[in-house]
Amino acid sequence: MRLMNSPDLTATIDLAAIAHNVGVLRDTSGADVLAVVKADAYGHGAVPVARTMLAAGAAGLGVARLPEALVLRESGIDAPITAWLHTGSTDFAAGVAAGIDIAVSSPRQLDAVVAAARAVGTTATVTIKVDTGLRRSGVAVEEWSDFVDVCAKALADNSIRLQGMMTHLACGDEPSNPLNSAQAAELDAAVADLARLGITPQAVHISNSPAALSRRDLSRDIVRPGIALYGRTPLPAIGDFGLIPAMTLSAEVALVKKVRTGEGVSYGQTWIAQRDSMIAVIPAGYADGVPRTLSGQLRVFINGQPFAGVGRVCMDQFVVDLGPDGGGVVEGDRAVLFGTGADGGPTAREWADATGTIDYEIVSGIGTRVVRQYVGGARSEVIDDGRA
C-alpha cells in the first residue's frame, strides 16, 4: 500500500542487489543458500526481502525466533523456514502447526517440541543444533548421548522428522582460524553418530557469511549466510566479493539557516562556528539508528557533494555545515547518510568503524520511523509496513 505522505526519512532497499548477492553466495560457496532474514532481514524488511531471496534461488529462510517465522508464514510464504532460538515460553505448537523447521538445542527443547507435535496432531519438522565450540545455543557435549536417545524415540514414533543438523562458527570471520575446521569436524562426527543409528538429516549446514565466502571446504549441503546477502562484506580486509550494498539511508533537508561566527550548534554547543556559515537540519537521530557517538564525525552527501555533521546527534535530528555559501543546498533536497559508497559517498561500514562496531549493527539498528522503500524488484514502491 502506498503511503499518502512522502517519507522524509527513507531506507531505500535495492531488491536487485539482494538477488545478485544470493547468486554470489551460491556461486562462491558451491552450495544452496538458506537465507537468514532474522531481525526483520537485518533491518531491510523481512517479507519483501524474503520473497526476493526465494525468487533469486534461495532454498529456504532462516530466522532466530519462531514469531519471526510465523510472520513470514502469515504473509503467504510457504518455503522452508528454520528458527533456532527458543526459551521455555516459546509457543512450539504454533510453530509445528505452521510447518516451521524448529532447530532444537537440548533434550528439553526436543521434549517440548514432541509434546507440541502430539498436541497439534502432526509430525514436527526439526533441525538439531550442535554446540561445537561457540558455547551458546546448541546441544552440549555432555547432553549429546541423552539427546540422541530422545531423538531416536521421537523419530520412531513419528513425532518428528529430521530436516537438518547445524552448528554456528565462533571464528568464521577469521578464515584461517583452526577452530573453524575443528567445529566442522565435530559436527560431522555428530552426523556420523546418528548415521550409525540409521538417522540421516536432509541438510547439514555450518557456514555463515564469512565462511560461505572464504571457506568453500566448509560448505556442506547448504550455507547459511546473513549479512553478505545484504551486500555488506564480513571480511573487509579481503574484499567485497562482488557484493552490492542493498540499503541507502537518506533524509530530506528539513531546514536551511544561517549561523554567525561564534554561535554554537545543538546540545552542549560542542561546535562553534568559526565563520558565518549556512547549516542544514537533517530529520534523523539516534532514535532512528544514527549513533549519538557519531557526533562530530558524520558526513553526508547532498546533491553529490560531501558535507560534515556538526554538533551533537540528537534523538530526532542532526546538523550539517553547508559552508559560507550554502553549497547550493535548499530545503527539500535529499541527504544521503549512507549507501553503496559509490563516488566516495558515506557507507554503513564507515559509521561502524567510527563507532567501534560492525556494520551488521548499523543496518539492523535503523529505526521504526524510517520508511522502507523498495526498488529494483517487479515494481518500485513505498511500503506502509507499520513503521511510520
Side-chain angles (χ1 to χ4, degrees):
M1 181 168 62
R2 190 169 293 277
L3 291 175
M4 297 300 293
N5 59 315
S6 178
D8 57 23
L9 180 55
T10 303
T12 300
I13 313 302
D14 184 348
L15 297 177
I18 287 174
H20 164 83
N21 297 334
V22 172
V24 170
L25 269 298
R26 187 175 54 241
D27 294 344
T28 304
S29 68
D32 285 335
V33 171
L34 178 70
V36 179
V37 293
K38 65 180 180 176
D40 199 28
Y42 290 59
H44 292 66
V47 172
V49 165
R51 289 176 176 153
T52 296
M53 291 177 174
L54 292 168
L61 305 169
V63 295
R65 297 179 171 89
L66 266 175
E68 297 176 301
L70 295 175
V71 167
L72 296 172
R73 277 286 184 265
E74 290 161 4
S75 75
I77 293 173
D78 59 5
I81 305 173
T82 303
W84 52 72
L85 180 61
H86 319 295
T87 69
S89 60
T90 297
D91 184 0
F92 288 118
V96 170
I100 305 302
D101 173 22
I102 302 171
V104 292
S105 291
S106 71
R108 297 169 299 286
Q109 286 187 359
L110 182 54
D111 284 339
V113 172
V114 168
R118 290 171 179 164
V120 172
T122 190
T123 300
T125 301
V126 167
T127 283
I128 300 169
K129 187 170 187 182
V130 183
D131 182 1
T132 60
L134 185 58
R135 303 299 178 249
R136 284 190 333 193
S137 297
V139 181
V141 172
E142 60 270 18
E143 292 187 317
W144 180 245
S145 293
D146 290 341
F147 182 91
V148 170
D149 290 342
V150 174
C151 182
K153 291 174 183 175
L155 286 164
D157 67 16
N158 205 37
S159 294
I160 67 170
R161 74 173 188 89
L162 184 59
Q163 169 61 29
M165 294 183 68
M166 64 183 287
T167 195
H168 201 115
L169 296 173
C171 300
D173 57 352
E174 302 171 27
S176 61
N177 193 305
L179 184 57
N180 294 318
S181 296
Q183 286 190 258
E186 191 165 337
L187 181 62
D188 290 342
V191 173
D193 278 348
L194 293 184
R196 284 189 284 272
L197 299 176
I199 302 170
T200 303
Q202 293 188 30
V204 176
H205 41 107
I206 298 170
S207 296
N208 53 7
S209 285
L213 291 167
S214 67
R215 290 290 305 268
R216 192 173 178 132
D217 61 303
L218 299 183
S219 298
R220 296 299 186 262
D221 302 301
I222 201 166
V223 294
R224 199 178 62 248
I227 194 65
L229 292 166
Y230 307 95
R232 311 287 168 178
T233 175
L235 298 167
I238 297 177
D240 64 15
F241 300 92
L243 301 168
I244 301 173
M247 180 189 289
T248 296
L249 183 65
S250 67
E252 182 180 352
V253 173
L255 189 68
V256 174
K257 62 192 299 185
K258 185 175 182 178
V259 293
R260 296 177 176 82
T261 303
E263 292 183 332
V265 165
S266 195
Y267 292 126
Q269 304 284 275
T270 58
W271 182 81
I272 306 296
Q274 300 302 302
R275 46 159 168 55
D276 289 354
S277 193
M278 302 296 294
I279 60 169
V281 176
I282 309 299
Y286 57 78
D288 305 299
V290 183
R292 189 172 183 270
T293 49
L294 275 180
S295 297
Q297 302 181 75
L298 268 170
R299 67 186 187 103
V300 303
F301 263 35
I302 307 175
N303 301 328
Q305 301 179 71
F307 296 98
V310 294
R312 287 184 181 159
V313 173
C314 309
M315 181 178 286
D316 312 300
Q317 55 194 293
F318 65 89
V319 174
V320 297
D321 179 13
L322 301 176
D325 63 359
V329 175
V330 298
E331 294 168 6
D333 284 345
R334 300 292 298 187
V336 175
L337 280 62
F338 67 70
T340 65
D343 301 320
T347 65
R349 169 70 60 180
E350 183 178 318
W351 284 24
D353 290 344
T355 57
T357 186
I358 54 177
D359 50 4
Y360 303 50
E361 180 178 349
I362 298 301
V363 294
S364 63
I366 299 305
T368 57
R369 295 188 301 189
V370 181
V371 176
R372 271 63 172 178
Q373 176 173 281
Y374 296 90
V375 300
R379 61 193 179 101
S380 298
E381 60 184 341
V382 176
I383 303 293
D384 183 355
D385 56 2
R387 298 172 187 276

